[in-house]
Amino acid sequence: MIKSLVAVLLISGLIYTIYTALPLNKKTLGKGNDENYSAYDFSLQALDGNEISLSDFKGRGVVLNFWATYCPPCEKEMPYLNNIYEKYKEKGIEVLAVNAKEPRIIVSPFVKEKNLKFPVLLDRTGTTVDQYKVLNLPVTFFIDENGMIIERSSSELTEKKIRNSVEQIIPE
């Protein structure tokens, strides 16, 4: 009996691991046709207290990054995202970093220490994380000026990779 239970638990764990590692179909991220999918709109509070919605950036390319302070790959990406933001903001690119379920008291010192210039949003309830089907961190979406998801990356990005993806979403 115990051996059967252990076997079932191991198989369940293996199935879950495989399922979470599979790439998600873009259709789960928004509505659209076979080639393009619109990003879900959301409103979250920024660290400065302002409410920010994704739709506020219509007409701009958006790098939407989901992260947490306890995630080493996320921490490694932050300077790259900051550099990209500084270089491309005048070209119509916005970076939005959505923190996954951490309190302001933890996020704020991290942002100050890293001297991040782009908006950092707090998803305290995980609603936006769930809406975008984020299972592991970091996850980054590259959204064009029409609000269409052009690319999704669910692994640590290099600055070169971010730059190459941003080049695809610079507004015309």
Side-chain angles (χ1 to χ4, degrees), residues 7 22-23 28 126 149-150:
L22 292 174
T28 65
I149 296 170
I150 301 303

Side-chain angles (χ1 to χ4, degrees), residues 17 21 25-26 28 30-32 43-44 48 52 56 59 62-63 68 73 78-79 89 105 113-114 123 128 139 146 164:
T17 301
N25 183 331
K26 282 186 178 180
T28 65
K31 47 191 188 278
S43 292
L44 293 170
D48 65 8
I52 294 180
D56 295 341
V62 177
V63 178
M78 288 299 158
K89 66 183 174 184
I105 195 166
E113 177 189 322
K114 300 294 180 193
D123 186 11
T128 305
V139 174
N146 299 311
N164 289 342

Side-chain angles (χ1 to χ4, degrees), residues 2-50:
I2 292 178
K3 287 182 182 180
S4 296
L5 180 60
V6 170
V8 167
L9 289 174
L10 287 174
I11 291 170
S12 298
L14 180 62
I15 290 170
Y16 176 78
T17 301
I18 291 169
Y19 172 76
T20 59
L22 292 174
L24 293 175
N25 183 331
K26 282 186 178 180
K27 288 184 180 178
T28 65
L29 303 174
K31 47 191 188 278
N33 59 37
D34 287 341
E35 295 175 10
N36 295 312
Y37 294 88
S38 60
Y40 286 118
D41 194 19
F42 59 84
S43 292
L44 293 170
Q45 190 176 61
L47 276 180
D48 65 8
N50 291 323

Side-chain angles (χ1 to χ4, degrees), residues 54 56-64 84-96 142-147 165-172:
L54 180 61
D56 295 341
F57 301 100
K58 189 120 177 129
R60 297 179 64 81
V62 177
V63 178
L64 178 61
I84 293 296
Y85 177 70
E86 291 291 332
K87 181 175 181 179
Y88 288 92
K89 66 183 174 184
E90 298 301 322
K91 294 180 180 181
I93 296 295
E94 188 65 50
V95 173
L96 298 176
F142 295 89
I143 303 168
D144 73 9
E145 72 269 20
N146 299 311
S165 297
V166 163
E167 291 288 338
Q168 299 176 52
I169 63 169
I170 295 174
E172 294 183 18

Side-chain angles (χ1 to χ4, degrees), residues 110-141:
F110 180 91
V111 170
K112 285 180 186 168
E113 177 189 322
K114 300 294 180 193
N115 197 28
L116 302 179
K117 304 295 184 191
F118 50 81
V120 174
L121 311 178
L122 302 172
D123 186 11
R124 291 182 220 149
T125 63
T127 303
T128 305
V129 168
D130 292 343
Q131 189 176 32
Y132 276 82
K133 310 285 189 231
V134 174
L135 300 174
N136 299 310
L137 298 172
V139 174
T140 306
F141 295 88

